[in-house]
Amino acid sequence: MTATTSTNPFAIRTRETLEMLESSGQTKVLQILDSPMDAVVNMIDPDGSTHQRICMCSNNYLGLANHPDVVDAGIEALRTYGAGTASVRFICGTFTPHLTLEKTIAEYIGTQAAYTFVSCWNATEALFPTVCEPGDIIISDELNHACIVDSMRLSAVIKKGVKKGIYKHSDMDSAREVLEKAKNNPEVTGQIWLITDGVFSMEGDIANLPALRKLCDEYNALLVVDDSHAHGVMGKTGRGTHEHYNMFPGGSGFQPENGVVDIFTGTLGKGLGGGAGGFIAASQDLIDLIIQRGRPTLFSNALPVTVAASANAAIRTLINEPQRVQKLRDITAYCRQQIKSETKFEVLESPTAICPIIVGETATAIAMSKKLLAYGIFVIGFGYPVVPEGEARLRIQMSAAHTNKHVDQLVKALKEL
Ligand SMILES: *Cc1c(COP(=O)(O)O)cnc(C)c1O
């Protein structure tokens, strides 16, 4: 007898997993949009009905996803260059818009050079397995993004002898302890790398970059920041968490005594246009090594040229119109203040545009987000395993595209829940 789809081990255990998720109310339903991402979107529900709803769960922080310049740049690039090169970059896969975008990113972040990938996930997966060698150690905040966790694991496999260290979330004493242990470990003979998210997406809290910089200097470690949730949000002109701490070289308030970040990873799939793409921004030498040796760069295609052109237009718009960042800050402050004063819900404090409301159980968060849909509000509930068990939440995310009226509608719905 041949194994059928219903009797092989994979089919049986998968059915069990899906049924467990279903019966415990943890199944994620993909919500379908039928319009551009903006303050208000058209949604198609599972029964086929269509609804206009306020979207408060996108990372479209600056409202650039549907900006005419961003859209036009993509169309123009598609017309000029076609769909792509049908090649990886080192063979014949690099268009001029890739170089333009990489120059723009380096200028925007404040590094010598930058290199783009199809996603930040991909960029992070390229980084550590390429730059690390046996005898190195990668030290990471325990709440760092999943792509960092996986990149560390991959490094340990590809470059046998690369070590890992984890410190307690944003705990500088714990980070020092892990660094001290690394220093005293005879097997750590190479480079110490320390990586943190700039903005932690589930709480909206930020890493203490000046303190981490000092620690890294003390232990001769390189500081890597994944600032994906900070682009367009943090700092006076939206350069990122480093600008927030006056660590953006060339920025108006730059304080050299705070030091600078050595290496950045980031995404083009959030505030910077929201299409897709990621990057590493660092020294020219590091970027050159990535070009020569990175497995995702050697064996996988470039960011599509249309997306590269759109992302470039998005970053240019941000650089030219920094007032968008203040607009985001104002609407976020209004949202926090209204939730606190008008509803019974607690919203976590944060300098970012992320406003999480903790509700407890995963099923509660999912049920609340379902109910909000009926009130014309699109907010997603996050539960285990994305956040710890018992800390499920509704994560409200603000955009410069929102107005006070959108916030008022959210508050009205929260009151009636
Ligand atoms: C969203 C996010 C990513 C993933 O970005 P993609 O470009 O979608 O792969 C990576 N790191 C952090 C910290 C993020 O928030």
Side-chain angles (χ1 to χ4, degrees):
M1 211 179 100
T2 57
T4 68
T5 47
S6 58
T7 59
N8 65 54
F10 167 73
I12 293 165
R13 68 187 182 224
T14 301
R15 196 58 349 253
E16 278 171 10
T17 302
L18 294 174
E19 276 163 12
M20 180 277 291
L21 291 173
E22 185 69 43
S23 65
S24 57
Q26 296 184 70
T27 301
K28 294 172 190 67
V29 179
L30 301 184
Q31 303 289 347
I32 313 299
L33 303 193
D34 197 30
S35 68
M37 176 49 64
D38 223 319
V40 176
V41 295
N42 287 332
M43 296 178 66
I44 303 183
D45 283 359
D47 65 1
S49 59
T50 63
H51 305 265
Q52 278 212 332
R53 295 188 179 118
I54 302 166
C55 182
M56 290 185 158
C57 53
S58 169
N59 308 302
N60 183 28
Y61 292 121
L62 297 174
L64 292 175
N66 193 31
H67 189 289
D69 293 352
V70 175
V71 176
D72 287 348
I75 292 170
E76 173 79 20
L78 184 60
R79 288 241 157 81
T80 310
Y81 299 98
T85 62
S87 169
V88 299
R89 282 185 66 176
F90 89 90
I91 300 180
C92 53
T94 304
F95 283 124
T96 44
H98 290 118
L99 298 186
T100 308
L101 171 61
E102 284 157 0
K103 264 193 145 158
T104 298
I105 291 170
E107 174 196 332
Y108 164 69
I109 298 283
T111 53
Q112 248 179 7
Y115 200 72
T116 55
F117 297 81
V118 289
S119 67
C120 180
W121 189 288
N122 214 230
T124 311
E125 219 167 76
L127 180 66
F128 287 126
T130 308
V131 299
C132 289
E133 293 298 340
D136 286 8
I137 182 167
I138 310 165
I139 296 175
S140 170
D141 186 293
E142 66 180 344
L143 291 192
N144 275 346
H145 191 266
C147 68
I148 296 170
V149 176
D150 281 18
S151 176
M152 289 168 68
R153 289 172 176 159
L154 192 59
S155 306
V157 173
I158 292 182
K159 300 273 177 73
K160 285 186 180 55
V162 171
K163 306 232 164 309
K164 297 182 287 189
I166 313 284
Y167 61 90
K168 291 200 190 97
H169 176 51
S170 282
D171 182 333
M172 293 304 113
D173 292 337
S174 170
R176 173 181 290 282
E177 239 169 68
V178 177
L179 282 160
E180 187 65 29
K181 237 173 147 178
K183 187 178 121 183
N184 297 325
N185 183 346
E187 288 174 33
V188 176
T189 52
Q191 181 64 52
I192 301 176
W193 309 81
L194 189 145
I195 181 157
T196 182
D197 284 18
V199 169
F200 292 88
S201 65
M202 287 301 142
E203 315 267 317
D205 57 321
I206 64 174
N208 187 344
L209 297 188
L212 286 171
R213 175 73 273 170
K214 283 203 179 72
L215 273 178
C216 285
D217 287 344
E218 211 178 314
Y219 288 90
N220 198 18
L222 289 170
L223 177 59
V224 189
V225 175
D226 179 341
D227 229 4
S228 290
H229 271 283
H231 309 316
V233 179
M234 299 303 299
K236 193 159 184 286
T237 63
R239 308 281 173 149
T241 312
H242 59 324
E243 188 187 22
H244 172 83
Y245 286 116
N246 293 318
M247 295 165 77
F248 166 60
S252 59
F254 179 52
Q255 289 165 9
E257 64 274 20
N258 285 356
V260 295
V261 172
D262 297 301
I263 299 147
F264 287 91
T265 53
T267 186
L268 304 168
K270 290 189 170 106
L272 303 179
F279 59 83
I280 300 172
S283 69
Q284 188 66 56
D285 274 358
L286 186 145
I287 297 301
D288 286 345
L289 183 69
I290 295 284
I291 294 171
Q292 299 303 318
R293 291 274 173 84
R295 291 169 71 81
T297 43
L298 293 174
F299 300 110
S300 184
N301 271 25
L303 182 65
V305 67
T306 57
V307 183
S310 283
N312 189 66
I315 302 174
R316 283 282 150 222
T317 305
L318 165 58
I319 290 174
N320 296 333
E321 302 171 16
Q323 63 273 20
R324 283 174 179 274
V325 182
Q326 188 55 45
K327 188 153 179 254
L328 173 64
R329 225 155 266 162
D330 292 344
I331 192 74
T332 305
Y334 179 70
C335 181
R336 280 177 191 290
Q337 178 245 310
Q338 288 301 100
I339 292 174
K340 275 191 283 187
S341 64
E342 298 293 319
T343 79
K344 63 180 197 304
F345 294 105
E346 289 274 356
V347 55
L348 294 182
E349 278 310 325
S350 145
T352 71
I354 298 168
C355 310
I357 297 179
I358 307 288
V359 300
E361 294 310 309
T362 301
T364 314
I366 291 177
M368 279 177 72
S369 107
K370 246 190 208 157
K371 272 196 188 155
L372 280 172
L373 286 177
Y375 289 102
I377 311 282
F378 181 21
V379 177
I380 287 291
F382 283 92
Y384 182 79
V386 179
V387 296
E389 230 151 342
E391 292 181 32
R393 63 203 60 195
L394 289 175
R395 187 177 70 175
I396 295 161
Q397 287 173 285
M398 297 308 295
S399 165
H402 290 131
T403 63
N404 287 12
K405 249 173 72 185
H406 297 130
V407 173
D408 296 342
Q409 228 165 308
L410 165 75
V411 167
K412 186 160 172 270
L414 286 175
K415 275 162 115 168
E416 286 174 26
L417 263 191

Short mmCIF file of all heavy atoms in Angstrom, two decimals, residues 59 61 117-124 143-148 196-201 225-230 265-270 275-279 395, ligand 1:
data_model
loop_
_atom_site.label_atom_id
_atom_site.label_comp_id
_atom_site.label_asym_id
_atom_site.label_seq_id
_atom_site.Cartn_x
_atom_site.Cartn_y
_atom_site.Cartn_z
N ASN A 59 2.55 48.74 9.38
CA ASN A 59 3.77 49.48 9.71
C ASN A 59 3.97 50.63 8.72
O ASN A 59 5.08 51.10 8.53
CB ASN A 59 5.00 48.57 9.64
CG ASN A 59 4.83 47.31 10.47
OD1 ASN A 59 4.60 47.39 11.65
ND2 ASN A 59 4.94 46.16 9.83
N TYR A 61 4.08 53.62 8.71
CA TYR A 61 4.16 54.69 9.70
C TYR A 61 4.00 56.09 9.11
O TYR A 61 3.42 56.97 9.73
CB TYR A 61 5.48 54.61 10.45
CG TYR A 61 5.59 53.40 11.35
CD1 TYR A 61 6.61 52.46 11.18
CD2 TYR A 61 4.68 53.19 12.39
CE1 TYR A 61 6.72 51.35 12.01
CE2 TYR A 61 4.78 52.08 13.21
CZ TYR A 61 5.81 51.17 13.02
OH TYR A 61 5.92 50.07 13.84
N PHE A 117 18.68 43.68 -0.14
CA PHE A 117 18.25 42.28 -0.22
C PHE A 117 16.74 42.26 -0.45
O PHE A 117 16.09 43.29 -0.31
CB PHE A 117 18.55 41.55 1.11
CG PHE A 117 20.02 41.49 1.42
CD1 PHE A 117 20.67 42.58 1.98
CD2 PHE A 117 20.76 40.35 1.14
CE1 PHE A 117 22.02 42.53 2.27
CE2 PHE A 117 22.11 40.30 1.42
CZ PHE A 117 22.75 41.38 1.99
N VAL A 118 16.19 41.09 -0.72
CA VAL A 118 14.74 41.01 -0.93
C VAL A 118 13.96 41.23 0.37
O VAL A 118 12.76 41.50 0.34
CB VAL A 118 14.30 39.67 -1.56
CG1 VAL A 118 14.74 39.59 -3.01
CG2 VAL A 118 14.82 38.48 -0.78
N SER A 119 14.61 41.13 1.51
CA SER A 119 13.95 41.40 2.79
C SER A 119 15.01 41.64 3.86
O SER A 119 16.19 41.32 3.66
CB SER A 119 13.08 40.20 3.21
OG SER A 119 13.91 39.09 3.50
N CYS A 120 14.58 42.18 5.00
CA CYS A 120 15.50 42.32 6.13
C CYS A 120 15.84 40.93 6.68
O CYS A 120 16.94 40.69 7.17
CB CYS A 120 14.89 43.20 7.21
SG CYS A 120 15.97 43.40 8.64
N TRP A 121 14.87 40.04 6.59
CA TRP A 121 15.13 38.65 7.02
C TRP A 121 16.35 38.12 6.26
O TRP A 121 17.30 37.58 6.85
CB TRP A 121 13.89 37.77 6.75
CG TRP A 121 14.04 36.42 7.35
CD1 TRP A 121 14.86 35.42 6.92
CD2 TRP A 121 13.39 35.93 8.54
NE1 TRP A 121 14.76 34.33 7.75
CE2 TRP A 121 13.86 34.61 8.75
CE3 TRP A 121 12.45 36.46 9.42
CZ2 TRP A 121 13.43 33.83 9.81
CZ3 TRP A 121 12.02 35.67 10.48
CH2 TRP A 121 12.51 34.38 10.67
N ASN A 122 16.31 38.32 4.95
CA ASN A 122 17.39 37.87 4.08
C ASN A 122 18.71 38.59 4.41
O ASN A 122 19.77 37.97 4.42
CB ASN A 122 16.96 38.19 2.65
CG ASN A 122 17.44 37.17 1.66
OD1 ASN A 122 18.02 37.52 0.65
ND2 ASN A 122 17.24 35.90 1.94
N ALA A 123 18.61 39.89 4.66
CA ALA A 123 19.81 40.67 4.97
C ALA A 123 20.47 40.15 6.25
O ALA A 123 21.69 40.00 6.33
CB ALA A 123 19.44 42.15 5.13
N THR A 124 19.65 39.86 7.25
CA THR A 124 20.16 39.39 8.53
C THR A 124 20.75 37.99 8.39
O THR A 124 21.78 37.67 9.00
CB THR A 124 19.03 39.39 9.59
OG1 THR A 124 18.38 40.65 9.53
CG2 THR A 124 19.57 39.15 10.98
N LEU A 143 14.89 39.41 23.43
CA LEU A 143 13.65 39.69 22.68
C LEU A 143 13.92 40.13 21.24
O LEU A 143 13.03 40.66 20.58
CB LEU A 143 12.81 40.76 23.40
CG LEU A 143 12.17 40.34 24.73
CD1 LEU A 143 11.14 41.38 25.17
CD2 LEU A 143 11.49 38.97 24.63
N ASN A 144 15.14 39.92 20.76
CA ASN A 144 15.43 40.30 19.38
C ASN A 144 14.54 39.55 18.40
O ASN A 144 14.05 38.45 18.67
CB ASN A 144 16.91 40.02 19.05
CG ASN A 144 17.81 41.18 19.46
OD1 ASN A 144 17.33 42.28 19.76
ND2 ASN A 144 19.10 40.93 19.48
N HIS A 145 14.37 40.17 17.24
CA HIS A 145 13.51 39.63 16.18
C HIS A 145 13.93 38.21 15.76
O HIS A 145 15.11 37.85 15.81
CB HIS A 145 13.59 40.56 14.97
CG HIS A 145 12.58 40.29 13.91
ND1 HIS A 145 12.84 39.47 12.83
CD2 HIS A 145 11.31 40.72 13.76
CE1 HIS A 145 11.76 39.42 12.06
NE2 HIS A 145 10.82 40.17 12.60
N ALA A 146 12.94 37.44 15.33
CA ALA A 146 13.16 36.04 14.95
C ALA A 146 14.26 35.88 13.89
O ALA A 146 14.99 34.89 13.89
CB ALA A 146 11.86 35.44 14.44
N CYS A 147 14.40 36.86 12.99
CA CYS A 147 15.42 36.71 11.94
C CYS A 147 16.82 36.75 12.53
O CYS A 147 17.75 36.14 11.99
CB CYS A 147 15.24 37.76 10.85
SG CYS A 147 15.59 39.45 11.31
N ILE A 148 16.98 37.45 13.66
CA ILE A 148 18.29 37.51 14.33
C ILE A 148 18.57 36.16 14.99
O ILE A 148 19.68 35.61 14.88
CB ILE A 148 18.31 38.66 15.35
CG1 ILE A 148 18.16 40.00 14.62
CG2 ILE A 148 19.58 38.62 16.20
CD1 ILE A 148 17.93 41.19 15.52
N THR A 196 21.12 44.19 18.71
CA THR A 196 19.84 44.50 19.34
C THR A 196 18.88 45.06 18.30
O THR A 196 19.30 45.70 17.33
CB THR A 196 20.01 45.53 20.48
OG1 THR A 196 18.73 45.76 21.09
CG2 THR A 196 20.55 46.86 19.98
N ASP A 197 17.58 44.83 18.50
CA ASP A 197 16.57 45.60 17.78
C ASP A 197 16.70 47.04 18.26
O ASP A 197 16.97 47.26 19.45
CB ASP A 197 15.16 45.11 18.14
CG ASP A 197 14.76 43.79 17.49
OD1 ASP A 197 15.65 43.05 17.02
OD2 ASP A 197 13.55 43.49 17.48
N GLY A 198 16.49 48.02 17.41
CA GLY A 198 16.42 49.41 17.86
C GLY A 198 15.11 49.65 18.59
O GLY A 198 15.08 50.12 19.73
N VAL A 199 14.02 49.27 17.94
CA VAL A 199 12.67 49.33 18.52
C VAL A 199 12.17 47.91 18.64
O VAL A 199 12.26 47.14 17.68
CB VAL A 199 11.71 50.14 17.61
CG1 VAL A 199 10.27 49.98 18.06
CG2 VAL A 199 12.10 51.62 17.59
N PHE A 200 11.68 47.54 19.81
CA PHE A 200 11.11 46.20 20.01
C PHE A 200 9.63 46.27 19.69
O PHE A 200 8.88 47.02 20.32
CB PHE A 200 11.38 45.72 21.43
CG PHE A 200 12.84 45.46 21.68
CD1 PHE A 200 13.67 46.48 22.11
CD2 PHE A 200 13.39 44.22 21.43
CE1 PHE A 200 15.02 46.26 22.31
CE2 PHE A 200 14.75 43.98 21.62
CZ PHE A 200 15.56 45.00 22.07
N SER A 201 9.22 45.47 18.69
CA SER A 201 7.93 45.71 18.05
C SER A 201 6.73 45.34 18.90
O SER A 201 5.64 45.84 18.67
CB SER A 201 7.88 44.93 16.74
OG SER A 201 7.91 43.54 17.00
N VAL A 225 22.66 47.08 15.01
CA VAL A 225 21.28 47.46 15.36
C VAL A 225 20.36 47.13 14.19
O VAL A 225 20.59 47.57 13.07
CB VAL A 225 21.19 48.96 15.71
CG1 VAL A 225 19.74 49.36 15.95
CG2 VAL A 225 22.03 49.27 16.95
N ASP A 226 19.33 46.33 14.47
CA ASP A 226 18.25 46.10 13.51
C ASP A 226 17.19 47.14 13.80
O ASP A 226 16.46 47.04 14.78
CB ASP A 226 17.68 44.68 13.67
CG ASP A 226 16.54 44.39 12.70
OD1 ASP A 226 15.94 45.35 12.17
OD2 ASP A 226 16.23 43.20 12.49
N ASP A 227 17.14 48.16 12.93
CA ASP A 227 16.27 49.31 13.23
C ASP A 227 14.99 49.31 12.40
O ASP A 227 14.43 50.36 12.11
CB ASP A 227 17.06 50.61 13.01
CG ASP A 227 16.93 51.56 14.20
OD1 ASP A 227 16.30 51.18 15.20
OD2 ASP A 227 17.45 52.69 14.11
N SER A 228 14.52 48.13 12.05
CA SER A 228 13.38 48.01 11.12
C SER A 228 12.16 48.83 11.53
O SER A 228 11.52 49.45 10.69
CB SER A 228 12.98 46.53 10.99
OG SER A 228 13.97 45.83 10.30
N HIS A 229 11.82 48.81 12.83
CA HIS A 229 10.62 49.53 13.27
C HIS A 229 10.89 51.00 13.56
O HIS A 229 10.00 51.72 14.00
CB HIS A 229 10.02 48.87 14.52
CG HIS A 229 9.03 47.80 14.20
ND1 HIS A 229 7.74 48.07 13.80
CD2 HIS A 229 9.15 46.46 14.18
CE1 HIS A 229 7.10 46.94 13.58
NE2 HIS A 229 7.93 45.94 13.80
N ALA A 230 12.13 51.44 13.37
CA ALA A 230 12.48 52.82 13.72
C ALA A 230 12.56 53.73 12.50
O ALA A 230 12.50 54.96 12.64
CB ALA A 230 13.82 52.85 14.45
N THR A 265 21.02 46.80 10.27
CA THR A 265 20.16 46.10 9.33
C THR A 265 18.81 46.81 9.39
O THR A 265 18.50 47.46 10.38
CB THR A 265 19.97 44.62 9.68
OG1 THR A 265 19.54 44.53 11.04
CG2 THR A 265 21.26 43.84 9.53
N GLY A 266 18.06 46.71 8.31
CA GLY A 266 16.76 47.40 8.29
C GLY A 266 15.89 46.87 7.19
O GLY A 266 16.32 46.05 6.37
N THR A 267 14.63 47.33 7.20
CA THR A 267 13.68 46.86 6.20
C THR A 267 13.16 48.02 5.37
O THR A 267 13.09 49.16 5.85
CB THR A 267 12.49 46.13 6.86
OG1 THR A 267 11.66 45.58 5.84
CG2 THR A 267 11.64 47.05 7.72
N LEU A 268 12.81 47.73 4.15
CA LEU A 268 12.11 48.70 3.29
C LEU A 268 10.62 48.36 3.27
O LEU A 268 9.84 49.01 2.59
CB LEU A 268 12.69 48.64 1.87
CG LEU A 268 14.21 48.88 1.80
CD1 LEU A 268 14.76 48.52 0.42
CD2 LEU A 268 14.53 50.32 2.15
N GLY A 269 10.25 47.34 4.02
CA GLY A 269 8.87 46.84 4.01
C GLY A 269 8.02 47.41 5.13
O GLY A 269 6.92 46.91 5.37
N LYS A 270 8.50 48.44 5.82
CA LYS A 270 7.67 49.07 6.85
C LYS A 270 7.51 50.56 6.51
O LYS A 270 6.89 50.87 5.49
CB LYS A 270 8.28 48.84 8.23
CG LYS A 270 8.18 47.37 8.65
CD LYS A 270 8.58 47.11 10.09
CE LYS A 270 8.23 45.69 10.48
NZ LYS A 270 9.40 44.80 10.59
N GLY A 275 6.88 48.28 0.52
CA GLY A 275 6.80 47.25 -0.51
C GLY A 275 7.45 45.98 -0.02
O GLY A 275 6.79 45.02 0.38
N ALA A 276 8.74 45.96 -0.04
CA ALA A 276 9.53 44.84 0.47
C ALA A 276 10.99 45.26 0.40
O ALA A 276 11.31 46.32 -0.14
CB ALA A 276 9.32 43.58 -0.38
N GLY A 277 11.84 44.44 0.93
CA GLY A 277 13.27 44.68 0.81
C GLY A 277 13.91 44.95 2.16
O GLY A 277 13.25 45.37 3.11
N GLY A 278 15.19 44.67 2.21
CA GLY A 278 15.94 44.93 3.43
C GLY A 278 17.35 45.34 3.06
O GLY A 278 17.72 45.32 1.87
N PHE A 279 18.11 45.72 4.06
CA PHE A 279 19.47 46.16 3.75
C PHE A 279 20.41 45.95 4.93
O PHE A 279 19.97 45.78 6.08
CB PHE A 279 19.48 47.64 3.36
CG PHE A 279 18.94 48.58 4.41
CD1 PHE A 279 19.74 49.02 5.46
CD2 PHE A 279 17.62 49.01 4.36
CE1 PHE A 279 19.24 49.88 6.44
CE2 PHE A 279 17.11 49.87 5.33
CZ PHE A 279 17.93 50.31 6.37
N ARG A 395 -2.31 45.18 19.13
CA ARG A 395 -1.24 46.13 18.85
C ARG A 395 -1.74 47.20 17.88
O ARG A 395 -1.88 46.94 16.69
CB ARG A 395 -0.01 45.43 18.28
CG ARG A 395 1.17 46.39 18.15
CD ARG A 395 2.42 45.71 17.67
NE ARG A 395 2.31 45.30 16.27
CZ ARG A 395 3.31 44.77 15.57
NH1 ARG A 395 4.47 44.55 16.15
NH2 ARG A 395 3.14 44.42 14.32
C1 LIG B 1 9.83 43.46 10.39
C2 LIG B 1 11.16 43.15 10.91
C3 LIG B 1 12.04 42.37 10.17
C4 LIG B 1 11.64 41.69 8.89
O1 LIG B 1 11.67 42.58 7.81
P1 LIG B 1 11.37 41.99 6.35
O2 LIG B 1 11.98 43.01 5.44
O3 LIG B 1 9.88 41.93 6.22
O4 LIG B 1 12.01 40.68 6.27
C5 LIG B 1 13.31 42.17 10.67
N1 LIG B 1 13.71 42.69 11.85
C6 LIG B 1 12.87 43.44 12.58
C7 LIG B 1 13.36 44.01 13.89
C8 LIG B 1 11.58 43.69 12.15
O5 LIG B 1 10.75 44.41 12.89
#
